[in-house]
Amino acid sequence: RLNYDIGEVRLGMLAALPEFRDAILSLHYGYQRITDGIDNNALYEAHVIRLGLQKTFLIDRVNSVNIGLLSSFAAGTSPDLLQRHEHALQLGYNLKFSPRTNLSLSYRLSYFDYFNFQGREDLYQNLGASLNFVPCRNFEVSLGYYFAVNSSSNAFFDYQTQLGGFSLAAKIRF
């Protein structure tokens, strides 16, 4: 059985685009580190630049759907063999139970180009649900469950996985 610890930090900006019916443009820098969970030696480290565009469509005061396009470009990865670019389509549904509590359902389809790995290409799908609570403007608590399937041009990297747990997020707004 494999046991990994994953840490990720992102720093970015969001901009509303009124000329595109308030679609949101995002630009983020991200750092990800995966360790083996035993002695915390890094198995994978990556610096990435992410560019995205998302649009939310309000159905009524409690229901909304969203669609997004995202590209992630590797700016430095260790080991180099795992350096990759990602292009993704995201779909989501949100249901507000109260001003501070909502349910989010999501689907993501991603194409990964491992350009240093003998032409390896992966198609990754993720389906998820999360219950989110926002006690104040800059803090969020979530409980989620996600199921993912990866189909690779190299069958060794085909897999299915499940992930459940909670997260805490702090946000700084300008």
Side-chain angles (χ1 to χ4, degrees), residues 35-171:
T35 62
D36 61 14
I38 298 169
D39 58 12
N40 290 325
N41 289 330
L43 299 173
Y44 174 81
E45 291 183 280
H47 299 270
V48 297
I49 303 297
R50 292 184 172 100
L51 179 64
L53 183 65
Q54 179 176 315
K55 174 65 179 143
T56 298
F57 300 92
L58 298 175
I59 298 170
D60 56 34
R61 64 180 193 83
V62 296
N63 293 283
S64 64
V65 294
N66 58 67
I67 186 169
L69 299 171
L70 173 74
S71 286
S72 179
F73 302 97
T77 302
S78 175
D80 288 341
L81 190 62
L82 298 179
Q83 193 163 349
R84 67 187 187 197
H85 297 320
E86 174 189 9
H87 306 287
L89 168 68
Q90 300 176 154
L91 304 172
Y93 169 76
N94 295 293
L95 172 63
K96 279 189 182 182
F97 296 117
S98 75
R100 294 184 175 188
T101 308
N102 71 69
L103 172 70
S104 294
L105 304 175
S106 62
Y107 173 76
R108 181 181 183 121
L109 175 64
S110 296
Y111 165 76
F112 289 98
D113 177 13
Y114 290 84
F115 49 88
N116 289 336
F117 200 120
Q118 302 171 347
R120 177 180 164 197
E121 297 174 320
D122 289 14
L123 194 60
Y124 174 83
Q125 298 180 74
N126 185 306
L127 184 63
S130 66
L131 184 60
N132 310 295
F133 174 63
V134 183
C136 63
R137 182 174 181 214
N138 297 326
F139 189 72
E140 183 175 312
V141 180
S142 299
L143 178 64
Y145 171 79
Y146 302 89
F147 175 75
V149 176
N150 193 71
S151 300
S152 180
S153 59
N154 181 332
F156 180 80
F157 296 101
D158 291 346
Y159 65 87
Q160 293 182 3
T161 188
Q162 300 176 56
L163 175 65
F166 74 96
S167 69
L168 304 173
K171 299 177 183 179

